[in-house]
Amino acid sequence: MNSSKSNDATDSSCQGGNLDTTEEVKDELCPGFKDADTFVKYGLGAVLSATKASAGLPQSGDEYDFYRSFPGFQEFCESQGDKLLHCMSQIMQNHGCRSHIKDRDKLTGIEERFDLVVDSNDVILERAGILLDEADGVNRSQKPVMPVGFQPPKIVVSSWNRKGSSSGSRSETFRLLHAKNIARPQLKFKEKVDNSNTPFVPKIFIKPNSLKALPSYFTNKQIRKERPEDLDVPAALADFIHQQRTQEHVEDMFAHPYQYELDHLIVPESLLSKPEPQMYKPLAETNLTFVDSLEDLVTLNEKLCKSSEFAVDLEHHSYRSFLGLTCLMQVSTREEDFIIDTLELRSELYILNEAFTDPSIVKVFHGADSDIEWLQRDFGLYVVNLFDTHQASRALNLARHSLDHLLKHFCDVDSDKRYQLADWRIRPLPEEMIQYARSDTHYLLYIYDCVRAQLLDSNHGQPGLLQCVWNKSRDISLKKYLKPIYTEESYLELQRKQKKSFNTQQLTAFRLLFAWRDKLARQEDESTGYVLPTHMMIKISEELPKEPQGIIACCIPVPPLVRQQVNELHSLVQQAREMPLLKVRNHRCSPEVSLFGPHDETIRLSAPPKITLFQVALPILLHFIQLLFISPNDQRSMSVAQMKARRIIESFENPFRMYLPSADVHVNKNAKFDPSSKIFEISKRWKLQSVEQQQKELEAKKKIREEAKQQAKKASGNLVQLSFKFLKQSHIICCCFHRAKFSPCGSGRGAGCSVIKTSV
Ligand code: AMP
Ligand code: MN
Ligand code: ZN
């Protein structure tokens, strides 16, 4: 830890403070925190661990009921619950909100309490907004400078982050990386993304390690270019039309390309006997290669083909894309670590199928369910001979099954899962993110050894349990990627999940908005949560605003596409208002709701929404931010507050704004699969004739990148790291913020929405 040398006693509580002049310590804005960054870091840590802890609580239903049967647990829950409610109530009071949240008698139930929290969050946010506006008095005209050049840190310079506003001190400018400056990686993809409302067809066109040949449907993809029906429709649709016409291959099209090989996979004796765990190499002594050229990828493939096992993990982004994007692949052998830029090499990654489908090479993943789907969807990659350490952890009945737990348990490594939620599209990748990503696979082969040994030990040396894990892992590798398909009934499924009861007009509005959102998301290649978060969709449906302005009022902050198409939305709402209004006595009586049937009713009634710690943490955090930056009594720090205020407004007022590069171009209306001719230049051993030319291009690109990097470095010095950390954190807060308040979870798809459970 980089503690300040000051004699301020409270200073020791500052985790990871980076500033080291005594001047700054005197400027301490909040007891125990020498600067805002320190505070934000601390606050973020607290919020994340609270979120994590709340996710770890027993779920409502069996598990919870079981725990509830112990008086000790019950008492503990009661006392903690009271504490939390008291704390929330105080915060609410401080902000002048209705605060009878802790008076159990006055409230009929958790739903009402939940609404109270949501309302209070709104009030607090709004107040923060007003105060920020006030604080942001001067110098508004100074617009962020948008950067020039390709890829490397497109930079925002704003005045608040100029260090030392007082005379005499250095006036260094922090240059900040900000998510809003991330160019859409989709724009660079050689094959456009296919968001059409048609089933996913595997991308594979060449099948290494095959026992059963790839159906001709896939190997003949190149001649489909000439088919007339391909001309103006998305690739998958063209395929579909073609199939309808020819009435052949349909079965092949949707089968798992390696089904036969996986069905005939036999775990060799050697993998069922007890291994001697082979210690991982210390990180510092391990070579790390960043793979972003075809040549390096080919080299990696050669290495992997010679190994007997390697570990794999992926990082993913789901907010600014309809289907989601695999942004990074981490691979570790016993000797080396690799990080592959899968945005850059998206169209080339399929060559790894040679190693990935080789049945004599074990591929170790932790929790591979999503990874298996992402590999198919983005690269046409399949895995034959998978070992999933998550499945092993389950079979061993370990206390928890997350990777961080295994790392702690077997390697005594504390992992910092903060970056899990980072925006992995960012390039070049900051050092912290590279290190984080790397640690996800670096230790995994050792863990693989340990769990195998334990699985045998715990079963008296018998291979049954271990065999079971191999089987489960194989089942996971047999998973097929399914594209989200829109049907006339899709909206009902979402409505049911939201536990909302609507009258006929409201339900019609919900149906029309749902269809609008789905269509636009596909067309613009955005997530449905980005186009229109579910809670806003529900609000519009419930209120059925008469004016376009009313629709805007339902959506704070207003998503860009809502603003753009508010008239279209308004006409949809009007259309819904024209429906005959059938009164609903209670939610079971709605004619459309009754479509759900008795089972759904019980599900709905037995699963009350739960308030997570996160929803508690958000107002607390905002409260502190307010205290910290906007205290009206603190005249001395006003200039700092002013500067900070603008920054915060930028990142909090409208979380969407940070995602809005001005020159954002949307494509994909006529996305086409265009099997690259390069594919056929590859000989059986994947040697590429065009490597030289590609190399030249890449070198030129690299040079440009290097130059820009140098420039950025010069301008910002090592403060880049510091300021990046801060921004990254505020971005993560934003992310959490989306999840809590503007959660895209309602879409029911996309890993980005799933894990922080807010159960709105
Ligand atoms: P991991 O396997 O932990 O490296 O996670 C892979 C990807 O899954 C991340 O890059 C995220 O996109 C997504 N993901 C993992 N955990 C979470 C979470 N708690 N919340 C949202 N997304 C997550
Ligand atoms: Mn990972
Ligand atoms: Zn984010």
mmCIF file of all heavy atoms in Angstrom, residues 52 366 400-409 413-415 417 420:
data_model
loop_
_atom_site.group_PDB
_atom_site.id
_atom_site.type_symbol
_atom_site.label_atom_id
_atom_site.label_comp_id
_atom_site.label_asym_id
_atom_site.label_seq_id
_atom_site.Cartn_x
_atom_site.Cartn_y
_atom_site.Cartn_z
ATOM 1 N N LYS A 52 -22.188 -8.630 -3.603
ATOM 2 C CA LYS A 52 -21.773 -10.019 -3.670
ATOM 3 C C LYS A 52 -22.387 -10.804 -2.508
ATOM 4 O O LYS A 52 -22.927 -11.891 -2.680
ATOM 5 C CB LYS A 52 -20.256 -10.064 -3.569
ATOM 6 C CG LYS A 52 -19.629 -11.196 -4.293
ATOM 7 C CD LYS A 52 -18.162 -10.872 -4.424
ATOM 8 C CE LYS A 52 -17.362 -11.998 -4.935
ATOM 9 N NZ LYS A 52 -15.943 -11.616 -4.980
ATOM 10 N N HIS A 366 -13.473 -22.719 -16.207
ATOM 11 C CA HIS A 366 -14.249 -22.644 -14.965
ATOM 12 C C HIS A 366 -15.624 -22.079 -15.281
ATOM 13 O O HIS A 366 -15.756 -20.917 -15.649
ATOM 14 C CB HIS A 366 -13.575 -21.777 -13.902
ATOM 15 C CG HIS A 366 -14.370 -21.727 -12.630
ATOM 16 N ND1 HIS A 366 -14.271 -22.701 -11.661
ATOM 17 C CD2 HIS A 366 -15.338 -20.879 -12.210
ATOM 18 C CE1 HIS A 366 -15.123 -22.438 -10.689
ATOM 19 N NE2 HIS A 366 -15.792 -21.333 -11.003
ATOM 20 N N ARG A 400 -18.187 -22.826 -1.670
ATOM 21 C CA ARG A 400 -18.709 -22.014 -2.757
ATOM 22 C C ARG A 400 -18.050 -22.472 -4.038
ATOM 23 O O ARG A 400 -17.004 -23.091 -4.024
ATOM 24 C CB ARG A 400 -18.432 -20.535 -2.486
ATOM 25 C CG ARG A 400 -19.388 -19.954 -1.443
ATOM 26 C CD ARG A 400 -18.993 -18.538 -1.034
ATOM 27 N NE ARG A 400 -18.636 -17.755 -2.201
ATOM 28 C CZ ARG A 400 -17.531 -17.018 -2.291
ATOM 29 N NH1 ARG A 400 -16.698 -16.974 -1.285
ATOM 30 N NH2 ARG A 400 -17.285 -16.340 -3.377
ATOM 31 N N HIS A 401 -18.692 -22.162 -5.153
ATOM 32 C CA HIS A 401 -18.184 -22.727 -6.397
ATOM 33 C C HIS A 401 -17.604 -21.691 -7.353
ATOM 34 O O HIS A 401 -17.348 -21.976 -8.501
ATOM 35 C CB HIS A 401 -19.292 -23.510 -7.087
ATOM 36 C CG HIS A 401 -19.968 -24.493 -6.177
ATOM 37 N ND1 HIS A 401 -19.252 -25.416 -5.440
ATOM 38 C CD2 HIS A 401 -21.259 -24.662 -5.836
ATOM 39 C CE1 HIS A 401 -20.093 -26.130 -4.700
ATOM 40 N NE2 HIS A 401 -21.319 -25.686 -4.920
ATOM 41 N N SER A 402 -17.414 -20.475 -6.862
ATOM 42 C CA SER A 402 -16.873 -19.437 -7.750
ATOM 43 C C SER A 402 -15.373 -19.628 -7.917
ATOM 44 O O SER A 402 -14.715 -20.258 -7.087
ATOM 45 C CB SER A 402 -17.147 -18.063 -7.164
ATOM 46 O OG SER A 402 -16.492 -17.951 -5.917
ATOM 47 N N LEU A 403 -14.863 -19.018 -8.996
ATOM 48 C CA LEU A 403 -13.424 -19.132 -9.240
ATOM 49 C C LEU A 403 -12.634 -18.467 -8.117
ATOM 50 O O LEU A 403 -11.603 -18.983 -7.687
ATOM 51 C CB LEU A 403 -13.064 -18.515 -10.594
ATOM 52 C CG LEU A 403 -11.587 -18.574 -10.960
ATOM 53 C CD1 LEU A 403 -11.081 -20.004 -11.025
ATOM 54 C CD2 LEU A 403 -11.312 -17.864 -12.264
ATOM 55 N N ASP A 404 -13.122 -17.328 -7.625
ATOM 56 C CA ASP A 404 -12.337 -16.682 -6.553
ATOM 57 C C ASP A 404 -12.222 -17.582 -5.336
ATOM 58 O O ASP A 404 -11.209 -17.597 -4.660
ATOM 59 C CB ASP A 404 -12.799 -15.268 -6.151
ATOM 60 C CG ASP A 404 -14.219 -14.920 -6.484
ATOM 61 O OD1 ASP A 404 -14.791 -15.584 -7.356
ATOM 62 O OD2 ASP A 404 -14.739 -13.980 -5.861
ATOM 63 N N HIS A 405 -13.271 -18.348 -5.096
ATOM 64 C CA HIS A 405 -13.199 -19.250 -3.949
ATOM 65 C C HIS A 405 -12.167 -20.355 -4.195
ATOM 66 O O HIS A 405 -11.358 -20.673 -3.324
ATOM 67 C CB HIS A 405 -14.567 -19.853 -3.657
ATOM 68 C CG HIS A 405 -14.572 -20.715 -2.445
ATOM 69 N ND1 HIS A 405 -14.724 -22.078 -2.511
ATOM 70 C CD2 HIS A 405 -14.384 -20.406 -1.133
ATOM 71 C CE1 HIS A 405 -14.640 -22.564 -1.279
ATOM 72 N NE2 HIS A 405 -14.452 -21.580 -0.440
ATOM 73 N N LEU A 406 -12.162 -20.922 -5.403
ATOM 74 C CA LEU A 406 -11.173 -21.968 -5.707
ATOM 75 C C LEU A 406 -9.750 -21.406 -5.637
ATOM 76 O O LEU A 406 -8.826 -22.065 -5.157
ATOM 77 C CB LEU A 406 -11.412 -22.559 -7.097
ATOM 78 C CG LEU A 406 -12.717 -23.332 -7.320
ATOM 79 C CD1 LEU A 406 -12.657 -24.083 -8.640
ATOM 80 C CD2 LEU A 406 -12.986 -24.301 -6.181
ATOM 81 N N LEU A 407 -9.594 -20.169 -6.107
ATOM 82 C CA LEU A 407 -8.263 -19.560 -6.089
ATOM 83 C C LEU A 407 -7.772 -19.397 -4.651
ATOM 84 O O LEU A 407 -6.616 -19.649 -4.335
ATOM 85 C CB LEU A 407 -8.297 -18.184 -6.766
ATOM 86 C CG LEU A 407 -8.281 -18.202 -8.299
ATOM 87 C CD1 LEU A 407 -8.542 -16.805 -8.854
ATOM 88 C CD2 LEU A 407 -6.950 -18.725 -8.807
ATOM 89 N N LYS A 408 -8.697 -18.974 -3.795
ATOM 90 C CA LYS A 408 -8.336 -18.786 -2.399
ATOM 91 C C LYS A 408 -8.052 -20.147 -1.756
ATOM 92 O O LYS A 408 -7.052 -20.340 -1.074
ATOM 93 C CB LYS A 408 -9.508 -18.098 -1.679
ATOM 94 C CG LYS A 408 -9.255 -17.719 -0.263
ATOM 95 C CD LYS A 408 -8.328 -16.513 -0.192
ATOM 96 C CE LYS A 408 -7.750 -16.368 1.213
ATOM 97 N NZ LYS A 408 -6.536 -15.561 1.243
ATOM 98 N N HIS A 409 -8.930 -21.089 -2.054
ATOM 99 C CA HIS A 409 -8.866 -22.401 -1.417
ATOM 100 C C HIS A 409 -7.599 -23.173 -1.805
ATOM 101 O O HIS A 409 -6.917 -23.721 -0.948
ATOM 102 C CB HIS A 409 -10.118 -23.187 -1.821
ATOM 103 C CG HIS A 409 -10.277 -24.493 -1.133
ATOM 104 N ND1 HIS A 409 -10.774 -24.603 0.149
ATOM 105 C CD2 HIS A 409 -10.016 -25.754 -1.542
ATOM 106 C CE1 HIS A 409 -10.795 -25.875 0.497
ATOM 107 N NE2 HIS A 409 -10.353 -26.600 -0.513
ATOM 108 N N VAL A 413 -4.742 -17.350 -3.294
ATOM 109 C CA VAL A 413 -4.646 -16.111 -4.073
ATOM 110 C C VAL A 413 -5.950 -15.337 -3.876
ATOM 111 O O VAL A 413 -7.027 -15.898 -3.984
ATOM 112 C CB VAL A 413 -4.457 -16.432 -5.575
ATOM 113 C CG1 VAL A 413 -4.689 -15.195 -6.429
ATOM 114 C CG2 VAL A 413 -3.075 -17.003 -5.822
ATOM 115 N N ASP A 414 -5.793 -14.063 -3.548
ATOM 116 C CA ASP A 414 -6.981 -13.209 -3.452
ATOM 117 C C ASP A 414 -7.200 -12.563 -4.813
ATOM 118 O O ASP A 414 -6.350 -11.834 -5.296
ATOM 119 C CB ASP A 414 -6.775 -12.104 -2.408
ATOM 120 C CG ASP A 414 -6.798 -12.677 -1.006
ATOM 121 O OD1 ASP A 414 -7.824 -13.272 -0.649
ATOM 122 O OD2 ASP A 414 -5.775 -12.536 -0.290
ATOM 123 N N SER A 415 -8.334 -12.842 -5.405
ATOM 124 C CA SER A 415 -8.564 -12.237 -6.717
ATOM 125 C C SER A 415 -9.487 -11.051 -6.557
ATOM 126 O O SER A 415 -10.317 -11.003 -5.661
ATOM 127 C CB SER A 415 -9.169 -13.252 -7.673
ATOM 128 O OG SER A 415 -10.448 -13.598 -7.243
ATOM 129 N N LYS A 417 -12.278 -9.315 -8.179
ATOM 130 C CA LYS A 417 -13.243 -9.559 -9.254
ATOM 131 C C LYS A 417 -13.892 -8.271 -9.773
ATOM 132 O O LYS A 417 -14.844 -8.309 -10.526
ATOM 133 C CB LYS A 417 -14.331 -10.539 -8.761
ATOM 134 C CG LYS A 417 -13.914 -12.001 -8.924
ATOM 135 C CD LYS A 417 -14.124 -12.475 -10.362
ATOM 136 C CE LYS A 417 -13.405 -13.790 -10.658
ATOM 137 N NZ LYS A 417 -13.361 -14.091 -12.093
ATOM 138 N N GLN A 420 -14.448 -7.847 -13.504
ATOM 139 C CA GLN A 420 -15.382 -8.720 -14.194
ATOM 140 C C GLN A 420 -16.426 -7.897 -14.939
ATOM 141 O O GLN A 420 -16.858 -8.247 -16.025
ATOM 142 C CB GLN A 420 -16.077 -9.598 -13.153
ATOM 143 C CG GLN A 420 -16.697 -10.838 -13.713
ATOM 144 C CD GLN A 420 -17.161 -11.745 -12.587
ATOM 145 O OE1 GLN A 420 -17.757 -11.293 -11.617
ATOM 146 N NE2 GLN A 420 -16.884 -13.019 -12.698
#
